[in-house]
Amino acid sequence: MIRIGEYFLDSEQARLTHKDIGVVINLEPKLNDLLLMFVTHPNQIISRQDILDDLWQGTIVTDNAINKLVGNLRKLLDDDAKSPRYIETVPKRGYRLVCSMESADKSSAVLPIKNRSQRSPMLIVFTILVAVFLLVVLSQQDRPEEIYSIALTQAEGIEITPRMHPDSQHLYYLRKHEKTQENELWIKNLSTSVTALIRLSNSISEIIALEPDAEHQTTRLFYLNKTTDDCGVFVAELTSPQNKTPRSLSNQKLFACEEKRIKDIGYNAKRETIYYSAQPKNFQPNHIYAFDLSNHAHQLVTQLEPSGWGHHNLDVSPDGDKLLIMSTDSEYQTQLLSLDLTSNTIEKGIKFKHPVTEAIWHHDAKQIIYFSAPPSSRILKSSFDGSDAATMISVTDKLSPDLTRFPDGESVLFSTEQKNYSSRWLVPSEERFQIANSVASDVYPALYHKEDKYLFVSNRNEYSQIYSAEYQENIANIATKFGQSHVINYVSMSADDKTVAFSLDNHLYALAVSDLNSVSPIQSMNEEQMFFETDVPIIYLDWLSKDTISITSVENGTPTLNIVRLSDRQVVTVENNFSYGLGDAAEQDFSYFVQASNNRLYAVDSVHFADTKSLSETALIDTGLSLPKGFYHPKIDGGVLSFVITEAGQEYLHRINIGDGTILEKHLLSAFSSYDISNGKIMISEVGSRQGNIYRTVH
């Protein structure tokens, strides 16, 4: 145990403890290794190359990786680069540990660096050398096997869904075409680095699996196409990867998926069965299905009754005998399940306190490999029940859910993806206002109605937080500073700009806008600020008046519309089978409701709507409009109805005049996330550029 400034470092346990207040900080492996480098070289300059060679040996990383790692360490130590108390930047040379350091055992103290002149030079040198030796020896005891990664692709753009041929030599993956934005199927010989394009007769969204024939003359490629015009699961017969010009010999559609909404999919070669997760119909939680290739029949597999978001992701074990299922409830907590495909019995494994979208079986079909909680980017390995968890590898970029096993019995393939959502003005088209974008993801814009300001959610500060910005200033100020990861969405501003409502981990809160400031950001929410909670997923909220909010929740596939009056927290469940309640901040004479059965839009005047108890008995005014099947994100502004719909694989924002049904505008969107409208101005959050590569772990 070494005291470093105000902290005690236990390098063996990879944690820091504050000497006064006892706060414990668990260190990620890379941060622990970096801090150990500084501790073992006190008051010495450590170059960036030293850090690169020691922490990323044999791995290609960007220069920004070192900046980010040092920055994260400074953040943990509450250090300031401009006035360092721990880590000093030495221009053009590297970094240096400048704080005092001593052993927690006073009998073998390492002298504080600042007081070293009080002892004899020989004693100081001897003591430091002994301490350094002990630290190095102790840090290497019982350390897990070192694992690092190597990049398999490094082309400009994004490479996704890697699948390794059983020959352990040929990598199949998808690369997005720069101009058409269509996915292309590529194959790379890892021995020669030669790549080749394989053309298919239709679009490909995801590689499911590869299966060579007995003589390895051809390879069956199972893949998913999610485009709406030809959505389906396909199998293509490809020539051998050894062929100099690999090509597709045939292509067959196994089943269509227009109505399936497939979330995840896997192939079981042993049972010749495709397993997939999908919604039975709109609003319902995901279920797990099996498609038998021999009789081309679908059936539900044995599973626990899904709740919340349902059974959304899966993995087939290497021996083909088990399914690993990720099931997430409405609180965004994921339970891992194991389905024995022989006995049809289910075993519960680890339950996480955060959502997990990527977990696979280890090669031994007993342990599991999964992603850590954000904001860290680590791949962990543990027993099925979560015990013996250890970090396999840490990366500096965000991990993409493309984890798969490399056919060597121990390694895995993984992908990184820098997919940043940015905001832009859709209207006015001249985009004369600045947007405070960043390299992080900015989502859920909420426009003020009386001022040229807006709020949005971003992970600029590692955890998702709410930020505020002004139209004419390209600066964003943090408004919340939550100390842990939360899922924040459905941010919405009241018509009088005095209150903002939002969903935080499926609980709804209301904050006074006057309380939002960058000087003292909101650090936590309390029960007084919460106005609605439920055990089922919340999928929408909107202001109906300055005191009432409509909330759409979903249970067993059925949407339920609730209305909350903030003044007394009264909750009323709306009858007549309505799915959405919509307000119009620009014209507050009417509120609007969408009927679930036929998507018909009705209006209610504000006089009748004054008392929420009478809503179900109110005479509804038929607008004569029906929203199309499959619409989402409806909003009303100034008597204009807006909604998003997918057409031929593309998302479009439609705007219709409620008064006469005239179609006013139709805007093409790009990987749309969310949007808001106020006084005719539309701000939209969508994906800008995507970057990412494919890696392999090496033991």
Side-chain angles (χ1 to χ4, degrees):
M1 188 83 70
I2 296 295
R3 175 174 166 178
I4 307 171
E6 298 176 324
Y7 297 90
F8 290 110
L9 169 64
D10 185 344
S11 60
E12 186 175 355
Q13 299 297 323
R15 64 189 179 194
L16 285 169
T17 305
H18 195 282
K19 66 179 182 64
D20 294 326
I21 59 179
V23 173
V24 177
I25 302 172
N26 292 315
L27 298 170
E28 297 179 5
K30 279 281 191 296
L31 288 175
N32 186 52
D33 292 343
L34 178 61
L35 185 53
L36 192 59
M37 281 189 70
F38 285 121
V39 169
T40 53
H41 299 82
N43 212 32
Q44 297 180 29
I45 296 175
I46 297 177
S47 70
R48 297 172 66 84
Q49 189 62 46
D50 291 336
I51 297 175
L52 188 65
D53 293 342
D54 194 77
L55 272 62
W56 282 286
Q57 185 178 12
T59 304
I60 299 175
V61 298
T62 62
D63 191 57
N64 186 55
I66 299 175
N67 297 338
K68 184 175 181 180
L69 191 65
V70 174
N72 287 341
L73 183 56
R74 279 175 167 151
K75 187 179 298 183
L76 288 179
L77 295 169
D78 195 23
D79 198 17
D80 185 354
K82 296 181 180 179
S83 180
R85 295 179 298 116
Y86 290 91
I87 302 171
E88 176 189 44
T89 299
V90 182
K92 298 183 180 181
R93 298 188 64 188
Y95 306 94
R96 177 167 47 205
L97 184 70
V98 296
C99 66
S100 61
M101 188 180 74
E102 61 181 16
S103 171
D105 180 3
K106 301 298 183 181
S107 63
S108 59
V110 176
L111 291 177
I113 295 173
K114 294 180 180 179
N115 299 325
R116 60 186 179 185
S117 61
Q118 299 174 5
R119 304 282 183 94
S120 68
M122 289 301 295
L123 178 59
I124 294 173
V125 172
F126 176 76
T127 307
I128 290 178
L129 288 175
V130 170
V132 168
F133 173 77
L134 291 174
L135 278 171
V136 172
V137 171
L138 288 175
S139 67
Q140 292 180 347
Q141 287 183 351
D142 301 322
R143 293 189 69 174
E145 179 186 4
E146 182 179 1
I147 302 176
Y148 61 95
S149 63
I150 56 174
L152 302 183
T153 64
Q154 292 182 300
E156 187 72 18
I158 181 79
E159 288 90 26
I160 58 175
T161 66
R163 296 295 182 268
M164 202 69 200
H165 193 276
D167 65 7
S168 299
Q169 184 177 352
H170 292 91
L171 173 70
Y172 291 71
Y173 60 96
L174 302 183
R175 178 191 298 167
K176 190 172 290 292
H177 192 278
E178 183 178 357
K179 293 183 179 180
T180 66
Q181 293 300 298
E182 289 286 328
N183 287 328
E184 297 177 328
L185 176 63
W186 286 80
I187 179 173
K188 180 175 184 177
N189 186 318
L190 298 185
S191 299
T192 63
S193 295
V194 173
T195 60
L197 173 65
I198 303 177
R199 300 192 181 278
L200 300 173
S201 57
N202 54 359
S203 299
I204 178 171
S205 304
E206 178 182 339
I207 301 174
I208 301 172
L210 299 165
E211 186 181 47
D213 65 358
E215 291 77 27
H216 282 230
Q217 296 301 310
T218 61
T219 298
R220 288 205 298 176
L221 168 75
F222 294 91
Y223 68 95
L224 173 65
N225 174 19
K226 285 188 176 182
T227 58
T228 54
D229 55 343
D230 195 22
C231 183
V233 175
F234 295 79
V235 58
E237 185 178 14
L238 309 179
T239 58
S240 168
Q242 301 289 351
N243 194 305
K244 292 183 178 180
T245 56
R247 66 186 189 280
S248 173
L249 301 174
S250 64
N251 199 44
Q252 177 189 359
K253 189 173 188 177
L254 297 176
F255 62 89
C257 65
E258 287 87 350
E259 304 297 328
K260 298 283 185 186
R261 296 177 180 266
I262 292 178
K263 178 66 176 177
D264 196 20
I265 191 165
Y267 174 60
N268 191 328
K270 179 179 180 179
R271 300 172 185 270
E272 294 190 327
T273 300
I274 292 175
Y275 294 94
Y276 62 94
S277 62
Q279 290 178 290
K281 63 178 183 179
N282 196 25
F283 295 126
Q284 288 196 348
N286 290 284
H287 291 63
I288 304 295
Y289 297 85
F291 177 77
D292 192 322
L293 293 181
S294 60
N295 57 26
H296 282 225
H298 298 266
Q299 67 176 30
L300 272 170
V301 304
T302 301
Q303 57 198 283
L304 299 180
E305 184 66 28
S307 62
W309 305 104
H311 310 317
H312 48 83
N313 285 72
L314 58 86
D315 182 58
V316 179
S317 63
D319 57 15
D321 291 336
K322 293 184 292 187
L323 272 186
L324 181 65
I325 300 171
M326 284 135 272
S327 185
T328 300
D329 59 24
S330 59
E331 299 292 329
Y332 295 95
Q333 296 183 354
T334 300
Q335 171 77 65
L336 290 190
L337 305 169
S338 174
L339 170 63
D340 189 308
L341 297 174
T342 301
S343 64
N344 279 331
T345 57
I346 297 174
E347 179 184 357
K348 289 185 177 181
I350 183 175
K351 183 170 185 179
F352 301 91
K353 294 183 178 180
H354 58 274
V356 173
T357 58
E358 189 67 5
I360 64 172
W361 289 110
H362 187 269
H363 296 269
D364 61 10
K366 297 178 181 179
Q367 301 180 90
I368 54 172
I369 302 171
Y370 55 94
F371 288 172
S372 66
S376 65
S377 294
R378 292 183 295 154
I379 299 176
L380 308 176
K381 181 176 69 173
S382 76
S383 301
F384 179 62
D385 62 4
S387 61
D388 305 320
T391 299
M392 285 186 64
I393 196 162
S394 294
V395 297
T396 55
D397 295 328
K398 184 178 179 181
L399 290 166
S400 172
D402 289 329
L403 196 59
T404 186
R405 290 172 293 274
F406 191 90
D408 66 348
E410 57 182 1
S411 303
V412 296
L413 294 175
F414 66 92
S415 304
T416 59
E417 181 178 22
Q418 191 65 32
K419 181 174 67 174
N420 295 321
Y421 286 91
S422 297
S423 296
R424 68 179 176 95
W425 288 105
L426 191 61
V427 174
S429 58
E430 64 268 22
E431 300 186 22
R432 55 193 173 92
F433 299 126
Q434 295 291 326
I435 300 294
N437 288 324
S438 73
V439 295
S441 291
D442 297 344
V443 294
Y444 288 102
L447 305 180
Y448 285 63
H449 305 291
K450 301 181 183 300
E451 296 184 75
D452 289 344
K453 297 180 179 180
Y454 61 96
L455 302 175
F456 63 95
V457 178
S458 180
N459 59 356
R460 302 177 182 201
N461 192 33
E462 296 191 66
Y463 298 128
S464 290
Q465 309 287 356
I466 296 177
Y467 288 77
S468 64
E470 297 187 17
Y471 292 176
Q472 303 290 358
E473 296 184 9
N474 196 24
I475 299 174
N477 297 307
I478 192 167
T480 65
K481 201 171 184 180
F482 301 126
Q484 63 186 68
S485 178
H486 291 289
V487 178
I488 306 174
N489 47 32
Y490 309 122
V491 184
S492 184
M493 183 67 66
S494 63
D496 58 7
D497 289 352
K498 292 184 178 181
T499 311
V500 59
F502 59 93
S503 172
L504 184 77
D505 296 340
N506 211 56
H507 299 280
L508 297 185
Y509 293 87
L511 273 175
V513 173
S514 58
D515 291 338
L516 300 178
N517 64 85
S518 58
V519 177
S520 56
I522 302 293
Q523 297 187 12
S524 62
M525 306 301 296
N526 56 49
E527 291 188 6
E528 288 74 19
Q529 296 164 316
M530 185 174 66
F531 64 87
F532 188 81
E533 61 178 331
T534 178
D535 293 331
V536 300
I538 295 170
I539 63 168
Y540 193 80
L541 72 84
D542 196 12
W543 290 86
L544 300 178
S545 71
K546 65 180 182 180
D547 189 47
T548 54
I549 297 178
S550 70
I551 303 148
T552 303
S553 58
V554 175
E555 184 173 11
N556 297 325
T558 302
T560 299
L561 181 60
N562 301 280
I563 295 177
V564 178
R565 190 164 57 198
L566 291 183
S567 57
D568 57 8
R569 297 298 196 265
Q570 179 186 6
V571 180
V572 174
T573 300
V574 179
E575 300 176 1
N576 296 343
N577 189 30
F578 286 98
S579 56
Y580 291 96
L582 307 172
D584 187 344
E587 299 178 7
Q588 300 179 45
D589 292 337
F590 291 93
S591 297
Y592 299 85
F593 299 89
V594 180
Q595 196 151 36
S597 58
N598 56 14
N599 294 337
R600 196 75 168 178
L601 182 68
Y602 293 89
V604 177
D605 66 76
S606 57
V607 176
H608 286 90
F609 186 65
D611 184 358
T612 57
K613 290 183 179 179
S614 64
L615 177 63
S616 60
E617 303 169 1
T618 300
L620 301 170
I621 303 172
D622 190 347
T623 65
L625 294 178
S626 292
L627 283 83
K629 181 181 179 181
F631 79 93
Y632 42 99
H633 288 281
K635 291 181 182 292
I636 294 178
D637 173 67
V640 176
L641 169 67
S642 301
F643 58 88
V644 180
I645 192 76
T646 301
E647 302 173 359
Q650 298 284 349
E651 290 180 303
Y652 292 89
L653 177 68
H654 289 253
R655 305 194 72 210
I656 300 175
N657 189 302
I658 295 177
D660 57 14
T662 303
I663 299 176
L664 302 177
E665 295 170 301
K666 179 180 178 181
H667 298 278
L668 176 64
L669 307 178
S670 174
F672 155 81
S673 166
S674 46
Y675 75 99
D676 197 21
I677 302 180
S678 177
N679 300 313
K681 295 187 289 290
I682 306 175
M683 182 182 288
I684 186 165
S685 172
E686 59 188 359
V687 171
S689 62
R690 296 175 68 190
Q691 297 288 331
N693 295 305
I694 297 169
Y695 297 83
R696 174 198 169 185
T697 61
V698 178
H699 293 249

